[in-house]
Amino acid sequence: TGEREVLTYELFGTAVRELARQVADDGFEPDIILSIARGGLFVAGGLGYALDVKNLHVMNVEFYTGVGETLDLPVVLPPVPSTVDLSRRRVLVADDVADTGTTLKLVHDFCAEHVAEVRSAVIYEKPRSAVKCAYVWRRTDRWIDFPWSVLPPVTRRHRGALDT
Ligand code: 5GP
């Protein structure tokens, strides 16, 4: 159907605790959570608290430009995480969704040469994803509305504007 999958902030709270539960029950004890900005920041923050991991890193990867619009390749934007910080660590990569999986594949390839172990946790994984994530909250093939990106950016209102 053309319907979208809608994640609310409230449901996100449940999702991230259940994702953490999967990781803990699996016995995986990450040294580092590596978030894929920007959507993965929410997931990484929630997992960091739920798993009591304070060592959070960020990787900036841009791929999509809009609904269904993609750049040809995902690109890593600076600052690139220090490979010294990652070396020989158990890394949990956190992202909002694995769609084609191209973004996570790039991150896995980046990590593979440096870290002891890398696993991924995502709220959603789509069936076509090239990367099969170790921890997945829900599977869907729909477009997902995330609470942090569903609304347009907040811009300055000018005097006399009546809208809220
Ligand atoms: P991939 O590289 O796995 O194809 O795409 C990963 C990125 O594309 C996600 O981190 C997210 O920013 C964006 N993306 C992919 N599918 C969706 C979707 O269904 N909804 C939203 N809002 N973003 C998506």
Side-chain angles (χ1 to χ4, degrees), residues 54-107:
K54 295 176 178 170
N55 202 347
L56 305 193
H57 291 245
V58 183
M59 204 162 162
N60 291 289
V61 183
E62 271 303 316
F63 186 33
Y64 278 73
T65 52
V67 178
E69 293 170 31
T70 69
L71 301 172
D72 288 342
L73 291 166
V75 286
V76 179
L77 304 176
V80 177
S82 146
T83 54
V84 176
D85 292 342
L86 296 180
S87 78
R88 310 173 70 82
R89 302 305 178 104
R90 292 183 302 266
V91 176
L92 182 64
V93 176
D95 208 352
D96 47 5
V97 52
D99 185 328
T100 62
T102 312
T103 303
L104 278 171
K105 172 135 197 344
L106 180 81
V107 175

Side-chain angles (χ1 to χ4, degrees), residues 13-30:
T14 302
V16 83
R17 289 294 299 194
E18 291 182 4
L19 210 44
R21 169 54 59 206
Q22 286 185 29
V23 177
D25 283 351
D26 199 33
F28 187 53
E29 297 183 349

